[in-house]
Amino acid sequence: MAKVEQTAKDETGFEPKIVAFLCKWCSSAGSDLAGVSRLQYPSNAVPITIMCSGSMSPMFVLSAFNKGADGVLVSGCHPGDCHYLKGNFYARRKIYLVQKLLQFIGLENDRFRMSWVSAAEGAKFAQVMHDFVTDIKKIGPQTRLKAKRP
Amino acid sequence: MIDVAQLKAHAKGLLEKGTVRTVFGYRKSTAGLLAEPAGITEAAQADDLIFDPSCVQNLALYLVNDKKHQAEKRSDDKRPVAVVAKGCDSRAITVLLQENHFSRESVHVIGVSCEGTGVVDARKLARKLGNKKALAVAFDGADAFAVTTNEGTQSIAAAEVMAERCLECRSAHPTLSDVVFGEAKAERGLHTPFQAVKAKIKESEEDRWAYWSRQFDRCLRCYACRSVCPMCYCDECVVDSISFVIAPDTTAEEKANRIKWIERSPAKSESAMYHMVRAIHLAGRCIDCAECERVCPVNIPLRLLNTRLEMEAFETFQYNPGSDPELPTLTSSFRDTDPNSFIR
Ligand code: SF4
Ligand code: SF4
Ligand code: FES
């Protein structure tokens, strides 16, 4: 990710760690655009580039929460725009199921999100990140699935 | 009502002619009420076969295990194997066919209809009988079981001691079979499917987490639920690093670099991971045989977790696991009309 601005810490000093799985062809480029356009948005994301949202394994989501992520974002190309034509349609079904499962066991609703962000939507990416960070700050650190490792 | 003599004769015929290698069926157990799975290879053993409400196990598991054993033995006996399958078991076989785990020709399905009554839940029955001990259980008409105890035989309404999943069964008749014994009965419809899940969803997030976190904390990670599930057939399992295949040419570096997705210790966070991985891998594949829940030594409500995603498959994607071997699987297909509004 290119240039991002540091946000002011809130009173508790809690800065959410967000793992963002970004499709190389769209959302990853979208986040770059947000950077080079000098849009201001929180720098809480650890971006991980994936080849397509369709290559997103539910294991990545679970593992991120297990290793202490406060939020996980999966972002891909808009329906119809996937570089591999159908990848994001498979992803949509899979991610939907993962989300329902995580909600069912009582992980806070706001911790797992999916978005469609094209390479041209730098502003949308900034908005998605901004909203995500704001919502997670309200619910605090993720403790439910986090491993208690020494 | 199913005629067990016909079932025995059919199995005997198959083995006499040598058209199948093994028949997997049920026989009376030497320990306790529930039948035991039996793999018979001689025609004379066919007389041991039974079918009654104590035949709870899903024998599709033995098809999966048999495939592994045949590969280990490097056997070149390519004859099919026969298997006795209830409605739910036949759906498991259908899922395995959908996934090309074996071919249709390699399995001869002896379908059995459990008709009005389904199979018994041994725990419910024990509770019902109090200090009497059940020795045998038989079908008794369309809606009762004849239960034999040390004090004689009594008739009990099936709905009172039937397995939970049988109460909700949406197709008690085998969907796939080469031969069927017993009458065709479609829905049993005693309970509305997914009602337990729906009640749980209504609880608050806090309450649900309190509930599941207690369950995850109790799990021993004995993996009995994984071992008994016919759908858990992978040689290597992500949740368990000791299952990773080590070949003669696997280098120390490769071994060291294997991803450990979760720790093997039964800590709460790791067991939560295990159950999430298990549930998501069974999405659209679990056919609700409830074997996992039955074998769990600490009564983790595994059915509740499985049926959460089965409900989604059925209600959101109109997908019914094990209904058609030609259908693409739930997660290898999509529709333009799939939910989209949850995405920003
Ligand atoms: S849920 Fe039950 S059967 Fe499965 S690993 Fe845990 S203790 Fe064992
Ligand atoms: S998860 Fe449980 S109920 Fe579902 S197929 Fe496997 S053993 Fe049967
Ligand atoms: S290439 Fe972007 S979602 Fe498939």
Side-chain angles (χ1 to χ4, degrees), chain A residues 117-143:
Chain A
V117 174
S118 79
E121 293 177 318
K124 180 171 179 192
F125 184 80
Q127 189 61 46
V128 165
M129 285 312 299
H130 176 82
D131 292 350
F132 205 3
V133 171
T134 313
D135 291 343
I136 292 184
K137 277 193 176 163
K138 280 185 217 143
I139 49 179
Q142 190 269 124
T143 53

Side-chain angles (χ1 to χ4, degrees), chain A residues 93, chain B residues 311-320 323 327 330 335 337-338:
Chain A
R93 224 176 226 213
Chain B
M311 181 179 107
E312 220 52 66
F314 188 68
E315 296 190 344
T316 308
F317 303 111
Q318 294 77 44
Y319 185 88
N320 199 4
S323 54
L327 228 57
L330 177 70
R335 288 193 190 134
T337 52
D338 281 353

Side-chain angles (χ1 to χ4, degrees), chain B residues 235-285:
Chain B
D235 290 325
E236 292 192 343
C237 180
V238 282
V239 303
D240 165 12
S241 52
I242 61 164
S243 71
F244 294 167
V245 171
I246 295 175
D249 58 352
T250 310
T251 63
E253 199 190 348
E254 278 170 332
K255 285 186 223 168
N257 289 338
R258 284 273 171 79
I259 301 175
K260 280 203 187 58
W261 292 100
I262 49 181
E263 299 292 324
R264 299 193 69 240
S265 66
K268 185 163 82 183
S269 64
E270 309 305 294
S271 294
M273 277 286 281
Y274 167 63
H275 285 283
M276 293 298 92
V277 173
R278 191 180 153 284
I280 204 80
H281 282 178
L282 284 157
R285 304 174 68 237

Side-chain angles (χ1 to χ4, degrees), chain A residues 59 62 66 89-90 92-93 96 99-100 103-105 109 113-116 124 144 147 149, chain B residues 205-206 208-209 212 269-270 273 308 312 317 330 333-336 338-340 342-344:
Chain A
M59 288 302 296
L62 298 171
N66 178 266
F89 289 110
Y90 293 116
R92 184 168 66 180
R93 224 176 226 213
Y96 178 82
Q99 196 180 57
K100 289 289 170 219
Q103 285 170 358
F104 188 55
I105 62 152
N109 226 341
R113 254 173 216 186
M114 187 171 184
S115 62
W116 303 132
K124 180 171 179 192
R144 298 191 170 169
R149 297 206 175 89
Chain B
E205 200 170 79
E206 290 304 313
R208 265 178 284 134
W209 173 248
W212 284 112
S269 64
E270 309 305 294
M273 277 286 281
R308 174 65 190 93
E312 220 52 66
F317 303 111
L330 177 70
S333 55
F334 62 83
R335 288 193 190 134
D336 290 346
D338 281 353
N340 194 65
F342 73 102
I343 302 170
R344 284 165 197 250

